[in-house]
């Protein structure tokens, strides 16, 4: 036979704080695990690595990252176009050359 419960211990003890989130919360951000292959260009690779940031953001935060990466890649390509390249190949021999007899 159980005796009377001591005062103050009639209810189970619970920890204070928020309830733990279930691990399979479909609304939680989930990594996409999209492979990112290095390009060999440090600036482009840094932009591609930035795409990993979306793995930890809610969907509404993806657009800002994608636009930032797009802007960075566009700037990198523009910088490549601005660099002077090697000289072009010489002009092909012309059959209309006036030095021919």
């Amino acid at each position: 036979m159980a005796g009377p419960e001591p005062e103050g211990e009639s209810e189970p003890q619970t920890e204070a704080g928020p309830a733990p989130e279930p691990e399979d919360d479909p609304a939680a951000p989930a990594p996409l695990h999209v492979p990112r292959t290095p390009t060999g260009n440090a600036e482009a690779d840094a932009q591609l690595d930035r795409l990993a940031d979306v793995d930890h953001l809610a969907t509404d935060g993806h657009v800002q990252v994608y636009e930032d990466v797009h802007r960075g890649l566009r700037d990198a390509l523009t910088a490549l176009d601005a660099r002077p390249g090697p000289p072009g190949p010489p002009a092909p021999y012309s059959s209309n050359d006036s030095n021919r007899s």
Side-chain angles (χ1 to χ4, degrees):
M1 187 164 160
E5 294 181 18
E7 285 187 38
E9 293 185 26
S10 60
E11 295 182 22
Q13 298 292 323
T14 59
E15 291 184 25
E21 292 289 323
E23 290 183 24
D24 294 329
D25 181 6
L32 298 175
H33 302 293
V34 175
R36 289 177 289 279
T37 306
T39 65
N41 179 289
E43 194 171 351
D45 290 342
Q47 293 298 323
L48 294 175
D49 288 343
R50 170 113 164 74
L51 290 174
D53 292 349
V54 300
D55 288 347
H56 310 290
L57 297 173
T59 306
D60 60 352
H62 290 195
V63 172
Q64 182 178 0
V65 173
Y66 293 152
E67 288 177 348
D68 184 45
V69 169
H70 180 255
R71 186 174 24 263
L73 289 172
R74 187 180 58 230
D75 291 347
L77 287 172
T78 300
L80 289 174
D81 286 343
R83 291 183 196 165
Y93 178 75
S94 173
S95 61
N96 295 333
D97 191 350
S98 61
N99 292 336
R100 288 182 52 169
S101 309

